[in-house]
């Protein structure tokens, strides 16, 4: 082993500097986690959001005074939620269950089809135009048809939610599976790796950022799909969509807005849950 120029005889060469590694070192990961924890304590991080909430609350109060037929005071909405929290919790769990089951079915179907699409060019040319047609089809319009075909139970909600979530997952996962750098793929080919090995050890890990990007989209979308199906199923008795429909027919605006706020909070929690899971799973990923 040759010594560095100018180094005295008998000394060991300096170890190479790791300045171009794709995978961050443990020290870099620890520093990144520390920055995330301390960032929450900085006013510059949370103060803009708090100020925006204050402005929205003031605007809401003005709207409640000027347009009482559309807005209600926030105090009344909080009162409705506090009067019967078990009622909202029960219906929230129903809607959440429908959304998660539909999302799970849509994710499994879309991921399996994305794998086939990324590996077989003939299937890709046949399926992708149909998937584009499905994506631009107003699925809200077919919700009543699903209710007629599948009844007023859980089935039409699950099917509609799966359809809503299907296309974003398919496009993102298919893109991620094919987003493998060419030189890295050539290395696998030079060692005679099978297509299954390339898929397992290269394409699937490379697609994980795209998978989580799609999940950040479809988790809130799954709630929308479930609520739309509940609104279409006029005979349905459970779910936040049914709560909104019944309260609207009885002109109980506070209950309507309470259900909407619960949906918004639940969608936000699902979004942040996916974001947290992404940080845990993709700690090695450099965006």
């Amino acid at each position: 082993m040759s010594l560095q120029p100018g180094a005295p005889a008998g000394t060991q060469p300096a170890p190479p500097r790791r300045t171009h590694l794709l995978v961050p070192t443990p020290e870099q990961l620890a520093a990144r986690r520390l920055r995330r924890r301390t960032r929450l304590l900085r006013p510059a991080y949370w103060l803009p959001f708090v100020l925006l909430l204050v402005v929205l609350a003031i605007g809401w109060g003005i709207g409640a005074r000027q347009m009482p037929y559309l807005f209600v005071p926030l105090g009344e909405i909080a009162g409705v939620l506090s009067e019967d929290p078990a009622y909202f919790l029960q219906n929230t769990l129903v809607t959440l269950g429908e959304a998660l089951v539909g999302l799970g079915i849509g994710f499994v179907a879309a991921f399996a089809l994305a794998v086939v699409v990324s590996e077989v060019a003939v299937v890709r040319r046949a399926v992708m135009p149909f998937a584009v047609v499905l994506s631009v089809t107003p699925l809200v319009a077919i919700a009543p048809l699903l209710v007629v075909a599948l009844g007023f139970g859980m089935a039409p909600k699950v099917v509609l939610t799966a359809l809503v979530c299907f296309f974003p997952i398919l496009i993102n996962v298919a893109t991620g599976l094919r987003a493998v750098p060419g030189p890295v793929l050539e290395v696998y080919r030079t060692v005679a790796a099978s297509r299954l090995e390339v898929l397992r050890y290269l394409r699937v890990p490379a697609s994980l950022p795209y998978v989580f990007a799609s999940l950040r989209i479809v988790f809130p979308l799954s709630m929308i799909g479930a609520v739309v199906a509940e609104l279409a199923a006029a005979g349905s008795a459970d779910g936040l969509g049914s709560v909104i429909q019944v309260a609207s027919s009885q002109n109980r605006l506070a209950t309507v807005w309470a259900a909407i706020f619960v949906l918004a909070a639940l969608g936000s929690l699902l979004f942040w849950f996916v974001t947290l899971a992404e940080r845990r799973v993709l700690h090695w990923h450099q965006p």
Side-chain angles (χ1 to χ4, degrees):
M1 183 180 295
S2 60
L3 298 177
Q4 293 182 349
T11 60
Q12 294 294 330
R17 296 180 61 188
R18 299 184 297 178
T19 57
H20 300 286
L21 290 178
L22 295 178
V23 179
T25 62
E27 294 80 8
Q28 291 173 334
L29 291 175
R32 189 184 305 172
R33 286 192 293 266
L34 181 61
R35 286 196 299 268
R36 288 173 181 169
R37 293 170 183 172
T38 57
R39 183 178 57 182
L40 298 176
L41 303 177
R42 301 174 184 172
Y45 181 81
W46 52 265
L47 187 58
F49 178 71
V50 173
L51 292 177
L52 179 60
L53 284 181
V54 173
V55 172
L56 290 177
I58 295 173
W60 187 280
I62 296 174
R65 289 192 297 269
Q66 299 295 329
M67 295 179 290
Y69 52 86
L70 182 60
F71 297 100
V72 294
L74 294 176
E76 292 186 20
I77 299 175
V80 170
L81 290 172
S82 61
E83 283 177 4
D84 195 359
Y87 173 73
F88 286 96
L89 178 60
Q90 177 186 356
N91 288 280
T92 299
L93 293 178
V94 171
T95 301
L96 179 62
E98 296 166 351
L100 293 182
V101 173
L103 173 59
I105 295 174
F107 179 83
V108 172
F111 193 94
L113 184 58
V115 172
V116 178
V117 164
S118 65
E119 294 291 331
V120 185
V122 175
V123 177
R124 180 168 62 253
R125 289 192 292 268
V127 169
M128 295 311 292
F130 176 76
V132 173
V133 172
L134 178 63
S135 69
V136 299
T137 301
L139 297 179
V140 177
I142 69 173
L145 301 178
L146 293 175
V147 174
V148 172
L150 302 176
F152 295 99
M154 187 176 182
K157 289 91 164 177
V158 171
V159 171
L160 184 62
T161 302
L163 291 175
V164 169
C165 300
F166 179 83
F167 182 75
I169 298 174
L170 174 64
I171 294 300
N172 279 273
V173 175
T175 302
L177 290 172
R178 299 184 62 83
V180 178
V184 180
L185 187 59
E186 289 299 326
V187 171
Y188 273 74
R189 290 173 178 171
T190 56
V191 296
S194 65
R195 298 181 70 172
L196 182 59
E197 291 173 335
V198 172
L199 178 65
R200 178 181 177 183
Y201 297 108
L202 184 60
R203 293 192 183 275
V204 171
S207 69
L208 288 180
Y210 295 83
V211 171
F212 278 101
S214 66
L215 289 178
R216 286 200 302 269
I217 297 172
V218 299
F219 259 85
L221 275 181
S222 65
M223 299 298 301
I224 296 175
V227 171
V228 168
E230 291 171 352
L231 291 173
S236 179
D238 297 320
L240 291 175
S242 300
V243 171
I244 294 174
Q245 187 178 50
V246 172
S248 298
S249 64
Q250 299 174 355
N251 199 25
R252 292 187 287 131
L253 290 180
T255 303
V256 172
W257 281 112
I260 293 174
F261 281 6
V262 171
L263 281 171
L266 186 58
S268 300
L269 288 177
L270 292 175
F271 178 86
W272 290 114
F273 172 77
V274 175
T275 303
L276 180 61
E278 181 181 12
R279 290 176 180 176
R280 296 292 183 181
V281 175
L282 300 183
H283 57 84
W284 49 267
H285 178 59
Q286 290 281 10

